[in-house]
Amino acid sequence: MIKSSELDPNFKYEIAKEPGGENIKKCFNCTGCTVGCPLTEIDKGFNPRKIIRKALMGMRKEVLSNDSLWLCASCYTCYERCPQDVKITEVIGAIRAIAQREAEAGKIKINNPKPVFDNLFINSVKSNGKWYEAGVSGTFMLKTKGLGGVIGYAPMGLSLFKKGKLSILPHKIKGTDEIKKIFEEVEKK
Amino acid sequence: MKLAYYPGCTLHGTAREYNASTKAVCKAAGIDLVEIEDWNCCGALEAIFDKELSMGLSARNNFNAQDTGLPLITPCSICSHNLSRADTAMKTDPAFRAKIEKALGKKYEGVKIKHLLDVIVNDLGIEAISKKFTKPLKGIKSVAYYGCLLVRPSEVSKFDNPENPMSLDNLIKSTGAECLPFAQKTKCCGGNLLMNKQDYAFLLSKNIFDEAKARGANCVVVACPMCHMLLDGQQAMIEKAHNIVIDMPVLYFTQLIGLSMGLDEKELELDKNMVSTSKLIESIGREEVKVDVKAEPKAEKAEVAE
């Protein structure tokens, strides 16, 4: 049962203010996004229409803490087909950004390891200008699966290394100061 | 034709054979590539949901391309999406543009950004490049796999039909290789779920192989390093997870057309693919090619595209 007293009518405006979330209110709930979604095909529990509908209704906590928020593979099929130009893939991104801030503030808990990987990746770009594959993958495995995860990843890492596809050390670009300035500017709200 | 070149991080790492074959093919086709100075990561799939950061990182590369005065090309579908999206935002969103111009202390004029496939098929033209195809690739029965960001969203990618693209199909056919109808040509391989939902990523990729096998293909041709990472790099893991044999080479389209141009296999780095390409290459020019059909094909899925 949905209790209207528990709904947050401002949630849709909060999403619309986030980069990528601007068009959420255009959704008229037609389900075009969901019938073409490759994730829905393999997991009926993943339903982009419901994520948008619940967000519009103001089910803030449910939307932000539900694991399905992290299952979108950013394939842009829904984005392409949406008759209302909701830009669903980007709306999901906007909701993820809010969820990450809520998690950092200790208000919700995100169980999915996706943001852990993304943040490690982004931090490696922040310090080097390029992503540091061996370091990011190794740290991610250690953080989410422990030493066993690192050992499990080792054969793959080794075969990539043998083919000359994996560098042990990070590559740093010259303009890392410019990268830092970009981060500072886009992080300003 | 002279173009600015943005390889992107993977082409200097896991997708090194895409970088090598791109350079070799462009050289043979008379395209002069000028790698842009001190380029950085475009934000990839990891920052794609953080729209401003992804566009901000990409914009710096566009500035570096602008300095060359040349159109910018990249062989990576993700980079191409991110750089194009950033270019549009820099031209249409004054608040975003102000932020990035402030961070970098330069004025943005705009850059023409294209995927390498678009340049080869539409700017150079299939007719022109196929004149260089001296070795007919008879015996190759491929499916063209476009994946997601190469053609979607069409407001960013702009160069082919987002639901039923044909540019890669037509290019493959011009080499004398077969290119079979493929319902899943634009279906997601699950690349962005590899780290957090591996079983789903593997299932999505397995579905692609199931149909390719049912069609009678002996290889998959791709134009994106992330698709290649899943279909080639993770193929052994998918086989293990589903207890099946796939054993299907996955070639970058540049490797395929390079073969048809008669370029050296070493130069195209066909030995760097994780799934061996040697049996496929040996079979070129022979009448019948043996296809492994141990993975159970899903017949009903294969019928959709007809």
Side-chain angles (χ1 to χ4, degrees):
Chain A
M1 191 166 58
I2 299 163
K3 288 186 185 165
S4 58
S5 58
E6 287 171 7
L7 299 176
D8 178 355
N10 289 319
F11 188 39
K12 55 185 176 290
Y13 303 115
E14 190 183 354
I15 295 167
K17 259 191 262 167
E18 213 46 59
E22 298 87 353
N23 288 6
I24 185 168
K25 287 185 283 151
K26 288 187 180 179
C27 175
F28 56 25
N29 212 30
C30 74
T31 324
C33 50
T34 308
V35 292
C37 176
L39 266 298
T40 307
E41 267 179 31
I42 60 170
D43 179 353
K44 294 282 174 260
F46 181 71
N47 188 316
R49 181 192 68 84
K50 278 193 184 168
I51 295 176
I52 305 285
R53 184 73 191 136
K54 283 175 181 173
L56 288 171
M57 284 174 74
M59 297 168 74
R60 192 171 185 280
K61 194 160 186 185
E62 153 71 18
V63 170
L64 295 180
S65 46
N66 195 314
D67 191 59
S68 71
L69 183 60
W70 303 96
L71 291 183
C72 169
S74 64
C75 79
Y76 285 82
T77 307
C78 57
Y79 185 112
E80 182 68 42
R81 293 179 182 172
C82 175
Q84 286 293 95
D85 195 29
V86 173
K87 302 191 191 295
I88 299 148
T89 318
E90 292 186 351
V91 170
I92 301 266
I95 301 174
R96 283 185 181 184
I98 299 169
Q100 289 213 55
R101 285 203 296 273
E102 292 284 286
E104 277 158 29
K107 290 179 188 163
I108 59 162
K109 198 167 154 39
I110 300 171
N111 292 316
N112 198 290
K114 183 66 178 159
V116 178
F117 185 80
D118 289 355
N119 288 333
L120 284 169
F121 184 103
I122 289 166
N123 284 333
S124 87
V125 175
K126 195 175 189 175
S127 33
N128 303 307
K130 286 181 184 167
W131 95 284
Y132 173 32
E133 182 159 6
V136 169
S137 306
T139 314
F140 173 74
M141 292 297 170
L142 192 65
K143 269 194 163 181
T144 55
K145 289 176 185 153
L147 209 54
V150 181
I151 295 164
Y153 176 74
M156 167 62 77
L158 191 65
S159 58
L160 288 171
F161 179 73
K162 278 186 189 161
K163 293 254 182 193
K165 292 183 159 192
L166 195 66
S167 164
I168 304 293
L169 298 170
H171 293 287
K172 225 181 175 85
I173 66 161
K174 287 179 219 149
T176 44
D177 51 328
E178 291 183 347
I179 300 290
K180 288 203 173 67
K181 279 184 199 155
I182 292 169
F183 269 87
E184 280 165 23
E185 281 302 320
V186 298
E187 278 163 6
K188 277 182 203 165
K189 286 293 160 203
Chain B
M1 195 187 291
K2 197 172 179 181
L3 301 166
Y5 179 51
Y6 176 78
C9 302
T10 56
L11 271 80
H12 279 196
T14 47
R16 54 171 293 162
E17 65 270 46
Y18 199 12
N19 191 35
S21 53
T22 293
K23 287 183 172 175
V25 161
C26 285
K27 195 177 159 199
I31 300 173
D32 194 3
L33 297 179
V34 183
E35 191 161 322
I36 59 170
E37 288 288 320
D38 200 41
W39 54 267
N40 59 270
C41 173
C42 72
L45 288 174
E46 285 66 21
I48 206 165
F49 288 110
D50 189 339
K51 199 178 171 189
E52 285 212 333
L53 177 62
S54 155
M55 296 193 306
L57 288 168
S58 297
R60 181 176 172 275
N61 297 312
N62 293 352
F63 269 109
N64 293 2
Q66 184 175 285
D67 294 342
T68 69
L70 300 167
L72 177 62
I73 65 139
T74 173
C76 172
S77 305
I78 301 162
C79 299
S80 150
H81 169 86
N82 284 336
L83 300 179
S84 302
R85 187 165 78 151
D87 176 63
T88 305
M90 289 295 282
K91 286 172 183 160
T92 59
D93 181 346
F96 173 71
R97 182 197 179 113
K99 280 185 187 182
I100 304 303
E101 286 188 340
K102 190 181 162 210
L104 299 176
K106 297 183 207 173
K107 284 265 164 256
Y108 191 69
E109 316 277 340
V111 180
K112 231 189 190 110
I113 295 148
K114 288 193 168 192
H115 191 280
L116 174 66
L117 180 68
D118 183 13
V119 171
I120 290 183
V121 171
N122 298 315
D123 295 351
L124 197 60
I126 290 179
E127 211 186 312
I129 196 163
S130 63
K131 286 191 182 121
K132 314 254 179 196
F133 297 164
T134 51
K135 185 179 165 192
L137 301 181
K138 291 260 180 294
I140 288 196
K141 294 180 183 186
S142 67
V143 287
Y145 178 65
Y146 297 76
C148 303
L149 293 169
L150 179 62
V151 291
R152 271 195 312 267
S154 52
E155 71 174 7
V156 179
S157 138
K158 292 189 181 111
F159 82 94
D160 204 340
N161 185 314
E163 298 289 349
N164 186 20
M166 284 305 288
S167 49
L168 187 53
D169 289 64
N170 294 337
L171 182 65
I172 292 170
K173 283 175 192 166
S174 73
T175 66
E178 268 187 72
C179 187
L180 305 157
F182 194 44
Q184 299 190 65
K185 56 165 69 167
T186 60
K187 202 82 178 246
C188 180
C189 72
N192 208 356
L193 297 172
L194 184 59
M195 287 297 169
N196 67 319
K197 200 70 186 160
Q198 201 183 62
D199 51 338
Y200 283 8
F202 285 0
L203 186 56
L204 289 166
S205 283
K206 178 188 167 285
N207 288 343
I208 289 163
F209 287 120
D210 283 346
E211 192 196 334
K213 293 241 166 192
R215 299 277 183 186
N218 57 15
C219 67
V220 181
V221 179
V222 300
C224 169
M226 193 72 208
C227 302
H228 199 264
M229 170 46 108
L230 265 283
L231 300 179
D232 179 66
Q234 299 291 324
Q235 196 178 117
M237 300 284 282
I238 298 165
E239 287 179 324
K240 207 172 146 195
H242 287 273
N243 196 23
I244 52 168
V245 177
I246 299 170
D247 191 24
M248 186 173 284
V250 184
L251 303 188
Y252 286 107
F253 80 98
T254 42
Q255 291 182 306
L256 184 94
I257 63 174
L259 280 172
S260 186
M261 286 168 149
L263 300 179
D264 186 59
E265 286 166 33
K266 283 264 176 223
E267 202 184 350
L268 299 169
E269 294 198 349
L270 280 150
D271 58 331
K272 297 291 181 194
N273 299 43
M274 301 303 274
V275 177
S276 170
T277 58
S278 51
K279 260 196 290 182
L280 181 78
I281 295 165
E282 279 166 28
S283 75
I284 296 172
R286 289 194 194 157
E287 283 291 298
E288 198 49 50
V289 183
K290 263 189 96 180
V291 180
D292 195 333
V293 281
K294 273 180 208 157
E296 202 54 46
K298 280 187 182 170
E300 77 276 14
K301 276 218 161 141
E303 278 160 20
V304 182
E306 300 288 72

